[in-house]
Amino acid sequence: MTWLKEILGTEKAIIAMCHLLPLPGDPYFNSEKGMDYVVEMARKDLHALQEGEVDAIMFSNEFSMPYLTDVKTETVAAMARIIGELMSEIKVPFGVNVLWDAKKSLDLAAATGAEFVREIFTGVYASDFGTWNTNVGETIRHQHRIGAKNVKLLYNVVPESAAYLAEREIESIAASTVFNNRPDALCVSGLTAGAKTDVQLLMRVKEAVPNTILLANTGVNFTNFKEQLSIADGAVVGTTFKYDGKFENHVDVDRVKRFMDKVKVFRDNL
């Protein structure tokens, strides 16, 4: 039994994104509506995702654009407030992602009791946010220092809006990441949120590390979910669940229900 089955209750799990609106300190934070509005919109999306029967939810500061790789304290504090206020209403396993700061993501997970974290833990990248470096050894030691050793770590090995700085094949990156770090899962992404994950890339990673859980991290939708889930062990889904399938919109419960109904039929036939 994999940890997906143990914690999320199913294989081929669908982890739904609860995208938080801009937060205090972010360029597009709505100071007139304030944090109460951010909390209420997060609550609305949370309930829509749960009513649609997703397997798990991941909270992220998706609209804290442009992203930081050294996230400010006020962002983590705001996210902790939101999750804290919603805690009694969260009915499915949940994770967190503080974009893009692995240590801060772990801090938030430890504070809220999140089951998993998705982050960029390893590698050096040329990205839209500048040169993107990591220190996985320090990050994992930080995880243990703060008592978060049971938090599952989802390693994004093909980050959005970034490319590995060294010329290495994805098979090599995946194999060395697994050997050196023992990730709980690897995530493979498209260029941006909502962009389709390359099926050939998924296949190459799965063949390189067949015993590691693999998640399609972006762009899984109504037309390609069977293809994606035939290779990947699960998917992280955000944009597909929004009204009209648009990244900037809120969650449409009818789209969530229709998608999950199709996924359940697919799982039943495996």
Side-chain angles (χ1 to χ4, degrees):
M1 179 187 299
T2 70
W3 69 262
L4 286 179
K5 177 70 173 179
E6 181 181 357
I7 295 176
L8 307 190
T10 185
E11 308 291 358
K12 304 293 183 180
I14 301 300
I15 300 172
M17 296 303 302
C18 186
H19 291 160
L20 305 180
L21 293 178
L23 305 170
D26 292 338
Y28 304 109
F29 174 63
N30 190 326
S31 57
E32 292 184 3
K33 292 185 176 180
M35 274 296 293
D36 287 346
Y37 179 73
V38 177
V39 173
E40 194 52 40
M41 292 302 99
R43 174 177 283 112
K44 180 179 178 181
D45 282 353
L46 168 67
H47 283 271
L49 291 169
Q50 291 185 151
E51 188 177 337
E53 299 185 342
V54 300
D55 303 309
I57 288 172
M58 179 155 49
F59 295 93
S60 77
N61 56 323
E62 203 78 18
F63 292 103
S64 291
M65 297 169 165
Y67 301 128
L68 294 167
T69 54
D70 182 9
V71 174
K72 305 302 181 185
T73 304
E74 58 265 27
T75 300
V76 185
M79 294 181 73
R81 174 190 166 179
I82 294 165
I83 296 171
E85 288 201 29
L86 299 179
M87 191 67 72
S88 64
E89 302 167 50
I90 301 173
K91 306 302 182 184
V92 297
F94 75 93
V96 296
N97 185 193
V98 181
L99 299 163
W100 283 108
D101 190 322
K103 282 187 177 180
K104 301 291 185 4
S105 293
L106 285 165
D107 291 339
L108 183 61
T112 60
E115 297 278 7
F116 56 89
V117 162
R118 179 190 64 180
E119 259 300 342
I120 311 300
F121 291 102
T122 60
V124 183
Y125 305 88
S127 79
D128 290 353
F129 320 117
T131 304
W132 192 342
N133 201 356
T134 61
N135 187 340
V136 65
E138 171 56 29
T139 298
I140 301 307
R141 284 164 176 78
H142 179 73
Q143 177 190 17
H144 285 256
R145 280 197 300 269
I146 64 173
K149 66 180 181 179
N150 293 326
V151 175
K152 302 299 183 184
L153 304 185
L154 283 50
Y155 283 54
N156 197 335
V157 294
V158 184
E160 301 162 37
S161 307
Y164 212 90
L165 206 55
E167 290 189 11
R168 296 178 62 195
E169 295 293 329
I170 188 62
E171 293 90 343
S172 172
I173 295 170
S176 63
T177 298
V178 169
F179 179 83
N180 288 314
N181 306 292
R182 301 179 182 178
D184 296 298
L186 295 181
C187 298
V188 177
S189 309
L191 179 63
T192 62
K196 179 183 175 181
T197 302
D198 187 286
V199 174
Q200 294 302 316
L201 207 58
L202 276 174
M203 193 175 300
R204 289 166 61 191
V205 173
K206 192 61 178 175
E207 289 175 352
V209 287
N211 297 319
T212 299
I213 290 173
L214 178 64
L215 300 176
N217 196 45
T218 64
V220 177
N221 57 40
F222 286 93
T223 60
N224 68 22
F225 76 92
K226 291 182 182 178
E227 180 184 47
Q228 299 273 310
L229 291 177
S230 293
I231 303 166
D233 300 294
V236 179
V237 182
T239 301
T240 290
F241 290 154
K242 306 289 190 77
Y243 282 98
D244 300 323
K246 293 184 177 180
F247 170 75
E248 62 272 18
N249 291 344
H250 283 288
V251 174
D252 178 350
V253 65
D254 291 332
R255 286 180 67 93
V256 181
K257 286 180 178 178
R258 286 193 289 114
F259 184 87
M260 290 306 301
D261 284 345
K262 291 178 180 295
V263 168
K264 289 171 186 174
V265 172
F266 173 79
R267 291 194 295 220
D268 288 344
N269 290 325
L270 288 177

